[in-house]
Amino acid sequence: MSPMILDGNAAASQLRDELRQKITALATQGKQPGLAVVLVGENPASKVYVANKAKQTKEIGMLSVEHRLPAETSEADLLAIVEKLNHDPAIHGILVQLPLPEHINAEKVLESINPDKDVDGFHAVNAGKLAIGMNALVPCTPLGSVYLAKMYKKDLSGLHAVVIGRSNIVGKPVAQLLLQENCTVTIVHSRTKNIADICRQADLLVAAIGKPLFVGADMVKDGAIVIDVGINRVPKPDGGSKIVGDVDFDAVKDKTAAITPVPGGVGPMTIAFLLANTLRAFELSEARNH
Ligand code: GUN
């Protein structure tokens, strides 16, 4: 049987429609959620992400504030901007785009964001809350990954989920979310022995290692759900470059029950959940103030 292709563009577009309706309703009460994005330097991929974020934020009717700062911005100046945003009542979500220039301590900056406005879900308070099952702002890419898996199978309970990669941004939080979904979760990483053997046991395989085409057919069980978080730019044989995932889609897809393409899978879901997290942060702030 051919697999279900989990279409992130379609799912993200539907999510944005739902958010737009809620934001239109808030506007009738004179209320508007606001997202601030801070970009330091000239990383070309970051510039594209930030432009997309701003465009989509405005499209659904949220306030979008952008701070584009030169690469030589000092850590102190960046911390001062975050502090100002922390206290700005029009701003409900703050995102500092990563990577930051080397002279800036990224951890220090992320920890300076008010956890209630931390729409990336990267702050230690939110990571800790997620780990113990408390209400938290949860990282966007993991939310998008689990959402796509659930489009194929609503109840993931009891599945063996294998997560490839242990980053704070994707691997660890996606593992926490899958635990909350009652999966049996294994995380494999660069020091794991027999990665292929373990991956072959997965009912749900999440690839988040940033290695192009790492997951081949020998690593996938028949009928597995495969979620590819990778976004890797690779040269094309005839010149130029293209984007591929961590999964060799063409080699793997016919073994799977459902699989995300790259591009057009998890990628579009990340921004959709950033917007959803901003609305959530707004709602939490309303609840605190009333
Ligand atoms: N750089 C690439 N992806 C992300 C993301 O989701 N959040 C932030 N802050 N920076 C990123």
Side-chain angles (χ1 to χ4, degrees):
M1 243 190 35
S2 51
M4 177 173 176
I5 306 296
L6 300 167
D7 182 345
N9 284 319
S13 164
Q14 194 189 331
L15 276 171
R16 285 196 303 271
D17 286 345
E18 290 165 19
L19 291 169
R20 194 181 294 111
Q21 283 175 19
K22 290 183 184 162
I23 285 158
T24 307
L26 285 172
T28 63
Q29 306 166 37
K31 293 176 177 173
Q32 186 186 38
L35 172 65
V37 174
V38 183
L39 172 64
V40 186
E42 301 290 330
N43 180 310
S46 291
K47 281 165 99 169
V48 174
Y49 284 140
V50 167
N52 273 333
K53 282 171 192 164
K55 182 164 166 265
Q56 295 190 23
T57 307
K58 287 176 207 151
E59 263 171 18
I60 63 161
M62 281 186 188
L63 172 69
S64 169
V65 172
E66 276 178 75
H67 289 266
R68 290 168 178 268
L69 310 171
E72 59 275 13
T73 302
S74 71
E75 186 178 286
D77 284 351
L78 179 56
L79 288 169
I81 286 172
V82 170
E83 193 50 23
K84 213 164 156 227
L85 294 169
N86 279 342
H87 290 102
D88 184 341
I91 297 299
H92 306 90
I94 302 170
L95 180 144
V96 177
Q97 184 70 22
L98 301 176
L100 286 167
E102 279 194 2
H103 67 275
I104 296 178
N105 180 339
E107 188 177 299
K108 192 168 169 190
V109 173
L110 295 178
E111 291 303 312
S112 77
I113 296 172
N114 177 347
D116 295 332
K117 297 190 178 188
D118 169 37
V119 283
D120 260 328
F122 293 165
H123 194 286
V125 164
N126 284 316
K129 284 184 170 177
L130 174 63
I132 61 170
M134 275 175 77
N135 234 337
L137 286 165
V138 176
C140 308
T141 302
L143 284 172
S145 301
V146 173
Y147 186 96
L148 288 177
K150 291 181 80 167
M151 278 187 356
Y152 172 71
K153 196 171 188 336
K154 211 166 170 193
D155 181 8
L156 304 177
S157 175
L159 297 190
H160 183 194
V162 175
V163 177
I164 316 176
R166 54 174 159 175
S167 71
N168 291 337
I169 292 177
V170 184
K172 285 179 200 160
V174 87
Q176 297 290 358
L177 281 179
L178 291 169
L179 261 182
Q180 285 186 6
E181 294 289 334
N182 299 312
C183 291
T184 302
V185 181
T186 305
I187 302 178
V188 301
H189 50 78
S190 54
R191 304 289 177 89
T192 301
K193 294 181 179 121
N194 307 326
I195 287 194
D197 288 347
I198 297 168
C199 290
R200 251 194 320 275
Q201 296 169 30
D203 304 307
L204 168 58
L205 186 61
V206 180
I209 29 162
K211 288 196 178 159
L213 312 181
F214 179 80
V215 175
D218 63 318
M219 296 173 72
V220 176
K221 176 161 97 173
D222 281 332
I225 306 167
V226 175
I227 306 294
D228 188 353
V229 180
I231 299 180
N232 310 288
R233 187 170 285 282
V234 296
K236 283 202 291 196
D238 52 352
S241 64
K242 63 172 180 173
I243 299 289
V244 300
D246 291 350
V247 176
D248 188 345
F249 182 87
D250 291 332
V252 162
K253 72 172 190 305
D254 289 331
K255 288 187 90 175
T256 68
I259 184 167
T260 62
V262 175
V266 174
M269 300 300 285
T270 297
I271 300 186
F273 273 100
L274 173 68
L275 305 176
N277 272 354
T278 305
L279 178 60
R280 178 125 186 273
F282 168 84
E283 287 167 349
L284 292 172
S285 107
E286 288 284 292
R288 270 192 307 275
N289 295 333
H290 292 102

